[in-house]
Amino acid sequence: MTQWEKLRQLPAVYRQQLHELYDRDALPMDVRHYLSAWIEKQEWQRAARDHDLAMVLFQVLLENLDIQHSRFVQEESFLLQHNIRRYKQNFQRYLDDPCGLASTILWFLEKEKEILQSADLAEQVEAAPQSSYWHILDKTHPVAHNDTSMQKHIQFVPTQVYLLELIDLLVKKELVEWQRRQQKACIGAPDNVCLDHLEKWFTCMAVCLFQVREFLSKLDELVGKVSYDNDPIKAQKPALQRRADTLLKDLLKSSFVVETQPSMPQGKGSLVLRTNVQFSVKTRSVYRRFNVLGTKSKALNMAESQSGGMVADFRHLVSDHVFRNSLNLISLSVTEELHVINFDTVFDLKGLSVELQASSLPVVIISNSSQQQSAWASVLWFNMLSLDTKDVKFFANCPAATWPQFGEVLSWQFLSATKRGLNDDQLEMIALRLFGKQRDYDNCKVAWSKFSKENSPDTFWVWFDGILVMVKTYLEQLWRDGLIMGFVSKGKEKSLLKKKQRGTFLLRFSESVIGGITFSWVEYDMIGEPSIKTVQPFTKVDLNQIPFHEIIRNFQILESDNIPENPLLYLYPNTPKDEAFGKYYSDKTDNSPYIKYIKTKLMFVSKE
């Protein structure tokens, strides 16, 4: 059975995770479904590093899509014909980056395996109470001819060890992994942080332990009625009771978590709060089926949860003035000071009372919106590197990030903002900017100071975030459709364009102007020597006036004694300009017979 077939047979909650996974344009579910057997047989991990193999697989993928298209033509499946044709066109963007396609497919396959593993573990936990619950064996020994009474022995086959292993698995592995995924998701990673499966597992274990407590209570009644010398129940029951209570309390304490981290409605992301501005945060117990009495300020209840779990949704909290600790031995900026918000409640059920506490991830509290960008840099750095979610002194001795870690986080910023991350070529340009030319960047490290302090105020993060904001605000669709090369050095730009036909151009981000984008094109002189031309970068001032695709469409060069012309003919590598950008053009004509105005057009003109 293929991996895809196994996924389709999972319970509804896991199929929903599968739908959420494929709610992206990178790999359509239709393609995954119809080519499932072929996809799972290929060596995508090797192809992600081997350009030649990746190109072969890319071509075979397109051929398979053609075969599927022909099949749907024969079956007269009009909609599927249309979809397959569109998917094939979208995959063309990987023509120059087949390794990127291999990496993408590999990522989806790995995420599928995680869903399968979660389902397998849930099945094991669910089966635990039946397969390895406390078994009671009543053994009645035959009465010897000289015996005057029967001796009844109750032998326990305890499964405390097994329960302890399962609880350790939930608390020390599954919950810890969820918390790490939540950390990464807070800074843009496409990780699944749904708590439904954890809730199911915790509930199953807690129900099992409550049943153990009830059983031990029944034993008390039994001992009160029938007992004898050296009764093992009397000797063992107190220790069993303590052990069961300890396991249950530890489980319940671990089940209380912050489901949605603190965030402001108008903030850049979670974990950055501003004094005297409302923020929201949601706590949740991943053990359900009972009422939990909270503090006077908030009670965990089912009414605020779409899934029926126990949640407390704080929607109108405000951070008041922050008093800085004058005892700090080192000087930290406001945006490097971390604060943890604690939530306390009390659990009461069937004579068991447990105090629960959940803590938020460290937040940065600012007093002015101008600190937002720097605060988000701190949030990124902490959650990229720290596994200790209560380490509020993290920036007192801040570690460096390896390039693989750092590059992945940068890609997440684009992925979360625009649904399209950075490919290997774009990341290589950024690495070149940070480290200079290196044979291999994997062993390079980025210091916190280089990321957010060096060359202040125009730090690396200010430059990168300026580009991200510009793309999100003005260029999202162009970026998502793969029309913007973006992160490319001037040297790489020249080597790419000088081999192309006249008028071939590419779009790249400015390395010197914060939040700037420009285009460069190739021209040839009388003897056939290429020269690369570049215009002054466009910023939000320009893009507020004219959409960038209209700038490209109508841009002109004025040369003495020559008719103005648009030098931009082919988007790299060889797509005609109007074919690449035509769908964005907005020619709106006024057919009113009463008003006839001379049409005007805003456009950028450069003098040669």
Side-chain angles (χ1 to χ4, degrees), residues 470 473-478 484 507 517 519 538-555 581 584-588 601-604:
M470 174 188 61
T473 307
Y474 303 104
L475 309 169
E476 181 173 356
Q477 195 58 53
L478 297 180
I484 300 175
L507 314 178
I517 187 170
F519 44 75
F538 302 95
T539 64
K540 65 179 182 180
V541 175
D542 308 309
L543 301 176
N544 268 325
Q545 301 178 64
I546 312 176
F548 193 50
H549 58 266
E550 293 294 336
I551 294 175
I552 295 170
R553 180 187 186 185
N554 300 307
F555 178 76
F581 297 93
Y584 307 106
Y585 297 164
S586 55
D587 284 332
K588 296 181 180 180
K601 181 187 296 181
L602 287 175
M603 57 192 299
F604 280 85

Side-chain angles (χ1 to χ4, degrees), residues 21-35:
L21 173 63
Y22 280 96
D23 188 21
R24 297 171 170 86
D25 296 330
L27 181 61
M29 182 178 278
D30 287 357
V31 175
R32 177 67 180 96
H33 175 74
Y34 289 111
L35 304 185

